[in-house]
Amino acid sequence: MWESDNDLLGRVDRNRMPRHVAIIMDGNGRWANSHGFLRSVGHTAGVKTLKNILKTAVNLGLEALTVYAFSTENWKRPHTEVDFLMHLFSEYLEREKTDMHANNVRINFLGRTEDFAPALQKLMTDSMQLMKNNTGVKFNVAADYGGQDEIIRATQNLARLVKAGEIAPEDITAEMFDAELDTCGQPPVDLMIRTGGDLRVSNFLLWQTAYAEFWFTDTPWPEFTPKEFIDALVDFGKRDRRFGALNK
Ligand code: IPE
Ligand code: IPE
Ligand code: MG
């Protein structure tokens, strides 16, 4: 088992834990530049942060953790950076999958994925297959993911059912729509964290964050620690979530 820091974990009120936490892991490049490094150094450092945060999620017994690794818009970056990110992603999966499996992690991928190299696609499928019966944290890695793209794909699937005469347009419910999303079967996002100082959603989990609480920090992702992750969870525990209703 991954070692835990009991003092840190003890700060979280288990009765007020989010079920699903999503993280926009941002600020790698700016962190690297500010230290005189290439942007790629920031991405490599970011992988170390991810390892630590996943470990903390496992030790907390979190139900679902979703991380934004590569957006549908990130293809606009220079080829060299995109290639580096793909390489890092493959290396990370190859190296970590055994440890994740040993920790009962169930990995899943959100996004299009068909534009990835065949070897990477196989690695993703094999990792999912390896961990498919695990019952621990649902670890979703969003890669070539865009919230709008996901909504369009879901809509296309429902439109096909309508065209085939299997359902009428007015039969479509939120539950049916939910079932067509990449996060099918998982709870909605309770807490969305963004590192790196920007205050925006950048096309992440647009449907699933309908009632999420947001937590932003200036800390760039390579410097984000389990302690700050716990700070976010503690803060979440103090929020008054009304879901449109009134609290007594
Ligand atoms: C997040 O860090 C990682 C990815 C988008 C892949 P960035 O690469 O966006 O770093 P900044 O925001 O430019 O600092
Ligand atoms: C969001 O970060 C995507 C990931 C963290 C993978 P970006 O750095 O791509 O977002 P923008 O461009 O600042 O909105
Ligand atoms: Mg960024």
CSV table of all heavy atoms in Angstrom, one decimal, residues 68-77 142-146 202-204:
chain,number,residue,atom,x,y,z
A,68,TYR,N,-7.4,16.6,-15.7
A,68,TYR,CA,-7.3,17.1,-17.1
A,68,TYR,C,-5.9,17.0,-17.6
A,68,TYR,O,-5.0,17.8,-17.1
A,68,TYR,CB,-7.8,18.5,-17.1
A,68,TYR,CG,-8.4,19.1,-18.4
A,68,TYR,CD1,-8.7,18.3,-19.5
A,68,TYR,CD2,-8.9,20.4,-18.4
A,68,TYR,CE1,-9.3,18.8,-20.6
A,68,TYR,CE2,-9.5,20.9,-19.5
A,68,TYR,CZ,-9.7,20.1,-20.6
A,68,TYR,OH,-10.3,20.6,-21.7
A,69,ALA,N,-5.6,16.1,-18.5
A,69,ALA,CA,-4.2,15.9,-18.9
A,69,ALA,C,-3.9,16.5,-20.3
A,69,ALA,O,-2.8,17.0,-20.5
A,69,ALA,CB,-3.9,14.4,-19.0
A,70,PHE,N,-4.9,16.5,-21.2
A,70,PHE,CA,-4.7,17.1,-22.5
A,70,PHE,C,-6.1,17.4,-23.1
A,70,PHE,O,-7.0,16.6,-23.2
A,70,PHE,CB,-4.0,16.0,-23.4
A,70,PHE,CG,-3.5,16.6,-24.7
A,70,PHE,CD1,-2.2,17.2,-24.7
A,70,PHE,CD2,-4.2,16.5,-25.8
A,70,PHE,CE1,-1.7,17.7,-25.9
A,70,PHE,CE2,-3.7,17.0,-27.1
A,70,PHE,CZ,-2.5,17.6,-27.1
A,71,SER,N,-6.3,18.7,-23.5
A,71,SER,CA,-7.6,19.1,-24.0
A,71,SER,C,-7.6,19.0,-25.5
A,71,SER,O,-6.6,18.9,-26.2
A,71,SER,CB,-7.8,20.6,-23.5
A,71,SER,OG,-7.1,21.5,-24.3
A,72,THR,N,-8.9,19.0,-26.0
A,72,THR,CA,-9.0,19.0,-27.5
A,72,THR,C,-8.4,20.3,-28.1
A,72,THR,O,-8.0,20.3,-29.3
A,72,THR,CB,-10.5,19.0,-27.9
A,72,THR,OG1,-11.2,20.0,-27.1
A,72,THR,CG2,-11.1,17.6,-27.7
A,73,GLU,N,-8.2,21.3,-27.3
A,73,GLU,CA,-7.5,22.6,-27.8
A,73,GLU,C,-6.0,22.5,-27.7
A,73,GLU,O,-5.3,23.3,-28.3
A,73,GLU,CB,-8.0,23.8,-27.0
A,73,GLU,CG,-9.5,24.2,-27.3
A,73,GLU,CD,-10.5,23.2,-26.7
A,73,GLU,OE1,-10.3,22.6,-25.7
A,73,GLU,OE2,-11.6,23.1,-27.4
A,74,ASN,N,-5.5,21.6,-26.9
A,74,ASN,CA,-4.0,21.5,-26.7
A,74,ASN,C,-3.3,21.0,-28.0
A,74,ASN,O,-2.1,21.2,-28.0
A,74,ASN,CB,-3.6,20.6,-25.5
A,74,ASN,CG,-3.9,21.3,-24.2
A,74,ASN,OD1,-4.3,20.6,-23.2
A,74,ASN,ND2,-3.8,22.6,-24.1
A,75,TRP,N,-4.0,20.5,-29.0
A,75,TRP,CA,-3.4,20.2,-30.2
A,75,TRP,C,-2.8,21.4,-30.9
A,75,TRP,O,-2.0,21.3,-31.8
A,75,TRP,CB,-4.3,19.5,-31.2
A,75,TRP,CG,-4.8,18.1,-30.8
A,75,TRP,CD1,-6.1,17.8,-30.3
A,75,TRP,CD2,-4.1,16.9,-30.8
A,75,TRP,NE1,-6.2,16.5,-30.0
A,75,TRP,CE2,-5.0,15.9,-30.3
A,75,TRP,CE3,-2.8,16.5,-31.1
A,75,TRP,CZ2,-4.6,14.6,-30.1
A,75,TRP,CZ3,-2.4,15.2,-31.0
A,75,TRP,CH2,-3.3,14.2,-30.5
A,76,LYS,N,-3.3,22.6,-30.5
A,76,LYS,CA,-2.8,23.8,-31.1
A,76,LYS,C,-1.4,24.2,-30.7
A,76,LYS,O,-0.8,25.1,-31.2
A,76,LYS,CB,-3.7,25.0,-30.7
A,76,LYS,CG,-5.1,25.0,-31.2
A,76,LYS,CD,-5.9,26.2,-30.6
A,76,LYS,CE,-7.4,26.0,-30.6
A,76,LYS,NZ,-8.0,26.9,-29.7
A,77,ARG,N,-0.8,23.5,-29.7
A,77,ARG,CA,0.5,23.8,-29.3
A,77,ARG,C,1.6,23.3,-30.3
A,77,ARG,O,1.3,22.5,-31.1
A,77,ARG,CB,0.7,23.1,-27.9
A,77,ARG,CG,-0.2,23.8,-26.9
A,77,ARG,CD,0.2,23.3,-25.5
A,77,ARG,NE,-0.8,23.9,-24.5
A,77,ARG,CZ,-0.6,23.9,-23.2
A,77,ARG,NH1,0.5,23.4,-22.7
A,77,ARG,NH2,-1.4,24.5,-22.4
A,142,ALA,N,-8.5,12.6,-18.3
A,142,ALA,CA,-9.1,13.2,-19.5
A,142,ALA,C,-8.0,13.6,-20.5
A,142,ALA,O,-7.1,14.4,-20.3
A,142,ALA,CB,-9.8,14.5,-19.1
A,143,ALA,N,-8.0,12.9,-21.7
A,143,ALA,CA,-6.9,13.1,-22.6
A,143,ALA,C,-7.6,13.2,-24.0
A,143,ALA,O,-8.4,12.4,-24.4
A,143,ALA,CB,-6.0,11.9,-22.6
A,144,ASP,N,-7.2,14.2,-24.7
A,144,ASP,CA,-7.9,14.7,-25.9
A,144,ASP,C,-9.4,14.8,-25.6
A,144,ASP,O,-10.3,14.3,-26.2
A,144,ASP,CB,-7.7,13.7,-27.1
A,144,ASP,CG,-8.1,14.4,-28.5
A,144,ASP,OD1,-8.4,15.6,-28.4
A,144,ASP,OD2,-8.1,13.7,-29.5
A,145,TYR,N,-9.6,15.5,-24.5
A,145,TYR,CA,-10.9,15.7,-23.9
A,145,TYR,C,-11.4,17.2,-24.0
A,145,TYR,O,-10.6,18.1,-23.8
A,145,TYR,CB,-11.0,15.3,-22.4
A,145,TYR,CG,-12.3,15.6,-21.8
A,145,TYR,CD1,-13.3,14.7,-21.8
A,145,TYR,CD2,-12.5,16.9,-21.2
A,145,TYR,CE1,-14.6,15.0,-21.3
A,145,TYR,CE2,-13.8,17.2,-20.7
A,145,TYR,CZ,-14.8,16.3,-20.8
A,145,TYR,OH,-16.0,16.6,-20.3
A,146,GLY,N,-12.6,17.3,-24.4
A,146,GLY,CA,-13.2,18.7,-24.4
A,146,GLY,C,-14.7,18.5,-24.0
A,146,GLY,O,-15.3,17.5,-24.5
A,202,SER,N,-11.9,26.3,-19.2
A,202,SER,CA,-11.2,25.7,-20.3
A,202,SER,C,-11.8,24.4,-20.9
A,202,SER,O,-11.1,23.4,-21.1
A,202,SER,CB,-9.7,25.5,-19.9
A,202,SER,OG,-9.1,26.7,-19.6
A,203,ASN,N,-13.1,24.4,-21.0
A,203,ASN,CA,-13.8,23.3,-21.7
A,203,ASN,C,-13.7,21.9,-20.9
A,203,ASN,O,-13.7,20.9,-21.6
A,203,ASN,CB,-13.2,23.2,-23.1
A,203,ASN,CG,-14.2,22.4,-24.1
A,203,ASN,OD1,-15.3,22.2,-23.8
A,203,ASN,ND2,-13.6,22.0,-25.2
A,204,PHE,N,-13.6,22.0,-19.6
A,204,PHE,CA,-13.5,20.8,-18.8
A,204,PHE,C,-14.9,20.4,-18.2
A,204,PHE,O,-15.5,21.3,-17.6
A,204,PHE,CB,-12.5,21.0,-17.7
A,204,PHE,CG,-12.0,19.7,-17.0
A,204,PHE,CD1,-11.8,18.5,-17.7
A,204,PHE,CD2,-11.7,19.7,-15.7
A,204,PHE,CE1,-11.3,17.4,-17.1
A,204,PHE,CE2,-11.2,18.6,-15.1
A,204,PHE,CZ,-11.0,17.4,-15.8
